[in-house]
Amino acid sequence: MLHFFRIAPALVGAGLSLGLATTAAAQSQDLTPKYSNDFLNIGVGGRALGMGNVQVSLVGDATAGYWNPAGLLNQKAKYDAVLMHSELFSGIVKNDYAAFSMPLDEQSAIGASIIRVGVDNIADTRALVNEYGQVSYDRVTYFSVADYALLLSYARKIGAVEGLKLAGNGKIIYRNVGKFANAWGFGIDAGVQYDKGGWRLGLMARDITTTFNAWSINSDEFKGTANGEDPIPANSTEITLPRFILGVGRTVKLPAQLTALAAVDLEITTDGQRNTLVSSSAVSIDPKAGLELGYRDLIFLRGGVSNIQKVDASKSFDGKGGWRPQPSLGVGVAFSGLRLDLALSRLAIEKVGDQGSTNSVIVSLGYGFK
């Protein structure tokens, strides 16, 4: 464990120093929108979502391109592919994901991931009433609002330290609001994993160079509808500040061919104070925990908690305040290279009025082959 304790402080210190320096520079320019490109923080894969999004130190399949590209070097099969589909908020939001990864040689691996989060068939009723004051439904048109991301990953083992892996992502983002606006964005992620015995350590630095989105507005589509309160938007640029996730996991063998995998992630944001368990003007820290019980590497039960937020009793629907976590549950089956994972995750920390359940079912299918 000697390397473990030497490497961890260095990685965390270097990552936080870079993130805070970038944050200070960005805040001085007043370009710090919270939740920019937040569709990339929903999570992918039934296993991860069933464990409360705790994956940075654990991931070892094609989803590593998203969670921590260093994990691409952990995959057991030569080629690995994952597909996922989920529908959020009663099917209004569609979340789709596909990934593929493979080794280049014994020391390196590559991967590619595609993510789409969108709302389709939104009605544009601005022309519903014609020039004669009559309602004409055939004048209604429809459009989609969708966010896309392409991640290209490369990972390599560091021969000087056994168990140490470094990796990076090149990230291309496209965001579209029908015919009204679109944006292109570019950024870089970096990841590290270190394994020693049953212990696993991971660090993921997302948007480490900051990610820039350049918005292009079709002003002609807003003419005739703009007013003093809602003027025509202008072309603009937004940035996404660095986010660091530090994770630690441990695998324990139990009797009767059972295994237990427990892990904790600390997600550190640098865009100012958030409603998290640890919150300050410099950084906010959101802890997450996950547990996976396995039987003969065939059947898995999972659970996790994340997104711990403080609810104001006066603004809560049930009139109760205090700290509330976002729980999740999941099951998985693996056989002959095929993996089927299902997760049940809450989208909100409390019931929203009379809108019913805020739960979402996520299904992902993975396959590793030679």
Side-chain angles (χ1 to χ4, degrees), residues 18-38 41 171 188-189 205-212 238-244 268-272 274 281-282:
L18 177 58
L20 292 175
T22 306
T23 302
Q27 289 176 342
S28 67
Q29 301 174 28
D30 195 26
L31 294 171
T32 56
K34 281 187 174 62
Y35 316 115
S36 172
N37 289 332
D38 215 40
N41 298 316
K171 184 161 48 181
I188 295 175
D189 303 332
R206 293 182 178 170
D207 307 300
I208 193 168
T209 59
T210 69
T211 294
F212 290 81
E238 67 180 10
I239 64 172
T240 306
L241 293 179
R243 175 186 302 242
F244 302 91
I268 305 167
T269 53
T270 63
D271 56 4
R274 292 187 175 217
S281 58

Side-chain angles (χ1 to χ4, degrees), residues 199-221:
W199 288 97
R200 305 179 186 181
L201 173 70
L203 174 64
M204 180 62 172
R206 293 182 178 170
D207 307 300
I208 193 168
T209 59
T210 69
T211 294
F212 290 81
N213 285 357
W215 280 95
S216 177
I217 307 298
N218 184 358
S219 57
D220 291 339
E221 288 296 326

Side-chain angles (χ1 to χ4, degrees), residues 17 37 48 205 216 230 310:
S17 296
N37 289 332
S216 177
D230 299 306
K310 190 172 185 178

Side-chain angles (χ1 to χ4, degrees), residues 15 24-25 38 51 53 59 64 66 79 88 99 113 147 164 189 196 198 203 230 232 261 263 290 293 297 300 356 369:
D38 215 40
M51 295 180 67
N53 286 359
V59 67
Y66 173 88
Y79 305 105
L88 316 178
S113 309
D147 299 325
L164 180 62
D189 303 332
K196 184 68 175 181
L203 174 64
D230 299 306
I232 296 175
L261 172 60
L293 299 177
D297 288 332
F300 303 91
F369 51 98

Side-chain angles (χ1 to χ4, degrees), residues 169-193:
N169 286 335
K171 184 161 48 181
I172 302 174
I173 295 169
Y174 176 69
R175 308 185 68 180
N176 177 259
V177 185
K179 56 187 175 181
F180 304 99
N182 63 75
W184 286 95
F186 306 91
I188 295 175
D189 303 332
V192 181
Q193 278 189 346

Side-chain angles (χ1 to χ4, degrees), residues 119-128 137 139-144 180:
V119 179
D120 301 312
N121 298 318
I122 302 172
D124 182 355
T125 60
R126 294 178 299 168
L128 179 62
Y137 290 101
R139 294 164 62 91
V140 176
T141 59
Y142 296 86
F143 66 97
S144 297
F180 304 99

Side-chain angles (χ1 to χ4, degrees), residues 66-203:
Y66 173 88
W67 293 108
N68 185 345
L72 294 174
L73 294 164
N74 294 333
Q75 72 180 44
K76 299 177 181 179
K78 184 174 182 181
Y79 305 105
D80 196 74
V82 177
L83 298 173
M84 186 199 77
H85 174 75
S86 65
E87 298 187 0
L88 316 178
F89 301 103
S90 300
I92 296 175
V93 180
K94 306 294 191 297
N95 183 17
D96 296 294
Y97 166 79
F100 175 80
S101 60
M102 60 177 286
L104 290 179
D105 51 44
E106 293 183 355
Q107 301 297 320
S108 59
I110 57 173
S113 309
I114 299 176
I115 301 170
R116 180 191 187 270
V117 179
V119 179
D120 301 312
N121 298 318
I122 302 172
D124 182 355
T125 60
R126 294 178 299 168
L128 179 62
V129 179
N130 62 25
E131 61 271 24
Y132 304 107
Q134 300 172 329
V135 175
S136 179
Y137 290 101
D138 59 359
R139 294 164 62 91
V140 176
T141 59
Y142 296 86
F143 66 97
S144 297
V145 174
D147 299 325
Y148 302 83
L150 171 64
L151 307 179
L152 301 176
S153 309
Y154 176 78
R156 187 168 184 84
K157 295 179 181 178
I158 304 302
V161 181
E162 184 178 356
L164 180 62
K165 294 154 286 186
L166 302 179
N169 286 335
K171 184 161 48 181
I172 302 174
I173 295 169
Y174 176 69
R175 308 185 68 180
N176 177 259
V177 185
K179 56 187 175 181
F180 304 99
N182 63 75
W184 286 95
F186 306 91
I188 295 175
D189 303 332
V192 181
Q193 278 189 346
Y194 179 68
D195 303 330
K196 184 68 175 181
W199 288 97
R200 305 179 186 181
L201 173 70
L203 174 64

